[in-house]
Amino acid sequence: IDALVESERMATLGRLVRTIAHEVRNPLGSIRLGTQLLQHTETEADSEVGTYSDKVQLSQDEIQEYTAIIIKEVDRLNRFIEQLLAFSKPAMQLAKQTDIHQLLESSLAICRPELEHHAITVATQYDNNCPQVNINEDGITQVLLNLFYNAIEAMDTGGTLAIQTEYPQVKEIIHVRVQNDGPSIPPEDIPMLFDPFYTTKQKGTGLG
């Protein structure tokens, strides 16, 4: 019995570690790429002395955008750590009225360094009739980021990430569609799509 309990405890610990790795890896990737872009940005001093290098020129607005992404992702990591610390007394974040299009755009902004790095085009088609929706922003943001990063990985380089919203007023439900040009999911894997820890990727966690 003791061996069985210990085995189950280790299995639970393993799932927890994989969850932490999954939730931390994506923000760190965005932070790293954003920092690299800022690191290789040409400064006014470079321009004045006529320095020629492989540095890129970014506008002040672009610099502000990448800085804001880094801060936002650090804050999201901090919230995740706080949730882990409060694991023994989990608290459900209250849902609030949210503009789904603003949430989509802010999630895309987080992924923009990766999208540009892989030369992926983003095509959006938003239904202007969509009302605000009562959701957990952090939870839905994580869902969207998982979809976007999975799409980037599927397409590798080039391709189009298409995002569409639709609001059929008869049903009063907002539909969000995310499509990409990558290979389709094999039919035999579709029934396991929502099974936790199921993955076909060598370094996957099965939580995205």
Side-chain angles (χ1 to χ4, degrees):
I1 297 297
D2 289 343
L4 187 61
V5 171
E6 178 66 14
S7 176
E8 180 61 27
R9 189 184 71 83
M10 294 303 296
T12 301
L13 178 61
R15 288 194 293 269
L16 177 61
V17 169
R18 288 194 294 272
T19 300
I20 295 173
H22 179 80
E23 295 295 331
V24 170
R25 182 185 297 152
N26 286 346
L28 286 180
S30 296
I31 292 170
R32 187 175 188 274
L33 273 175
T35 306
Q36 283 180 320
L37 284 170
L38 294 175
Q39 183 182 29
H40 293 287
T41 299
E42 182 178 348
T43 65
E44 291 182 2
D46 293 329
S47 301
E48 290 174 359
V49 299
T51 303
Y52 294 96
S53 67
D54 58 351
K55 292 186 175 181
V56 297
Q57 290 184 335
L58 294 178
S59 68
Q60 191 62 35
D61 288 343
E62 289 174 319
I63 292 175
Q64 291 290 339
E65 180 181 2
Y66 288 129
T67 303
I69 288 173
I70 292 171
I71 294 173
K72 184 173 183 178
E73 289 296 86
V74 169
D75 288 343
R76 192 156 67 90
L77 282 172
N78 187 55
R79 286 196 299 270
F80 179 65
I81 296 301
E82 288 176 351
Q83 290 174 357
L84 286 177
L85 293 175
F87 184 70
S88 60
K89 296 180 180 179
M92 178 66 70
Q93 179 189 354
L94 294 178
K96 64 179 181 179
Q97 292 293 314
T98 304
D99 185 324
I100 189 65
H101 296 151
Q102 288 183 1
L103 193 64
L104 284 165
E105 288 299 316
S106 64
S107 299
L108 281 171
I110 294 171
C111 296
R112 185 159 293 129
E114 285 274 5
L115 291 165
E116 293 179 351
H117 180 70
H118 292 274
I120 292 172
T121 301
V122 176
T124 58
Q125 184 178 351
Y126 295 155
D127 186 341
N128 293 328
N129 294 318
C130 288
Q132 289 200 334
V133 60
N134 198 40
I135 57 174
N136 178 319
E137 282 193 10
D138 281 353
I140 298 301
T141 295
Q142 189 60 54
V143 171
L144 292 172
L145 291 178
N146 286 339
L147 289 172
F148 296 162
Y149 283 119
N150 284 343
I152 292 170
E153 185 174 341
M155 290 185 285
D156 192 17
T157 301
T160 299
L161 174 63
I163 303 165
Q164 179 186 13
T165 60
E166 183 183 9
Y167 179 61
Q169 298 184 16
V170 176
K171 296 183 178 179
E172 295 186 345
I173 296 175
I174 295 177
H175 297 283
V176 179
R177 294 187 179 90
V178 179
Q179 296 176 302
N180 65 77
D181 296 335
S184 301
I185 299 174
E188 61 271 18
D189 291 333
I190 291 178
M192 279 79 75
L193 278 182
F194 298 102
D195 288 356
F197 310 113
Y198 177 81
T199 181
T200 58
K201 301 174 185 177
Q202 185 176 1
K203 296 183 179 180
T205 62
L207 295 171

